[in-house]
Amino acid sequence: MVSLKLQKRLAASVLKCGENKIWLDPNEINEISLANSRRNIARLKRDGLIFKKPSVVHSRARVTLRNEAKRKGRHTGTGKRRGTANARLPVKVLWMRRIRVLRRLLKKMRDAKKIDKHIYHTLYMLSKGNQFKNKRVLLETIHDKKREMAEETALAQQADARKSRAKARLARKAAKETTGSEE
């Protein structure tokens, strides 16, 4: 059998690929062995005696299927876990997500004038101190604070009204006494 080492090397250079990707027609070995220049190799390529093999398929179909199953929660039991729980989803990441949600809510409510800056600051510091498990708990606390403030203002108004009524009563009494003593 004739050695086609030269032809393979030239073909790899002409077709711009590796020697393993070159296919030489086994029925036309004699004709291919006569080709000793790049021009001859190019002619054989045109004739279809030499061509570049297609690249090997590396299918990801199984991978996509598995990833879909994983999205549903399959293949994620204790036997499949290599890292610690903290390595898989760090506590810090969970904390950052939670605190950002809480702070965003507080800012939004402060900008919308639903809470004043004093309530904002107290709740901000409490959320920093890990007081609120989630957004719902924080909202409940905000409503409680607002209710307390409303009650305090209502009580203060009632007390003012009571004081003003008492003052008015005393003034009337004093006026009565002065008119009574003049007579």
Side-chain angles (χ1 to χ4, degrees), residues 52-69:
K52 183 178 172 181
K53 290 183 201 167
S55 56
V56 180
V57 174
H58 185 180
S59 173
R60 283 190 56 81
R62 286 182 298 278
V63 177
T64 48
L65 271 173
R66 191 172 182 83
N67 287 343
E68 277 176 24

Side-chain angles (χ1 to χ4, degrees), residues 34-156:
L34 295 173
N36 58 0
S37 68
R38 290 166 194 275
R39 181 169 287 167
N40 290 346
I41 295 290
R43 184 174 50 77
L44 291 174
K45 178 192 177 273
R46 250 195 332 275
D47 296 344
L49 303 183
I50 296 174
F51 63 78
K52 183 178 172 181
K53 290 183 201 167
S55 56
V56 180
V57 174
H58 185 180
S59 173
R60 283 190 56 81
R62 286 182 298 278
V63 177
T64 48
L65 271 173
R66 191 172 182 83
N67 287 343
E68 277 176 24
K70 273 194 170 183
R71 221 167 288 131
K72 290 178 182 173
R74 319 285 188 267
H75 318 292
T76 52
T78 47
K80 291 287 180 186
R81 297 178 199 171
R82 298 299 296 274
T84 62
N86 197 41
R88 288 161 66 85
L89 182 57
V91 175
K92 185 174 181 180
V93 170
L94 292 172
W95 163 259
M96 277 161 37
R97 281 182 195 167
R98 192 173 87 207
I99 200 72
R100 282 173 185 171
V101 166
L102 298 178
R103 285 177 178 173
R104 204 178 304 128
L105 175 72
L106 284 171
K107 279 194 191 78
K108 199 167 78 179
M109 293 194 86
R110 182 188 61 184
D111 294 342
K113 300 277 191 288
K114 290 187 177 175
I115 55 173
D116 63 348
K117 64 180 184 180
H118 304 294
I119 291 180
Y120 169 84
H121 184 69
T122 54
L123 293 176
Y124 188 98
M125 296 314 282
L126 285 174
S127 56
K128 184 183 179 180
N130 200 14
Q131 281 290 304
F132 307 117
K133 181 180 169 186
N134 52 34
K135 194 171 167 180
R136 186 186 42 128
V137 176
L138 176 60
L139 274 170
E140 284 172 11
T141 311
I142 288 171
H143 292 318
D144 290 343
K145 288 256 184 204
K146 283 173 78 174
R147 195 182 310 112
E148 281 173 21
M149 277 190 70
E151 284 172 8
E152 282 176 18
T153 51
L155 286 171

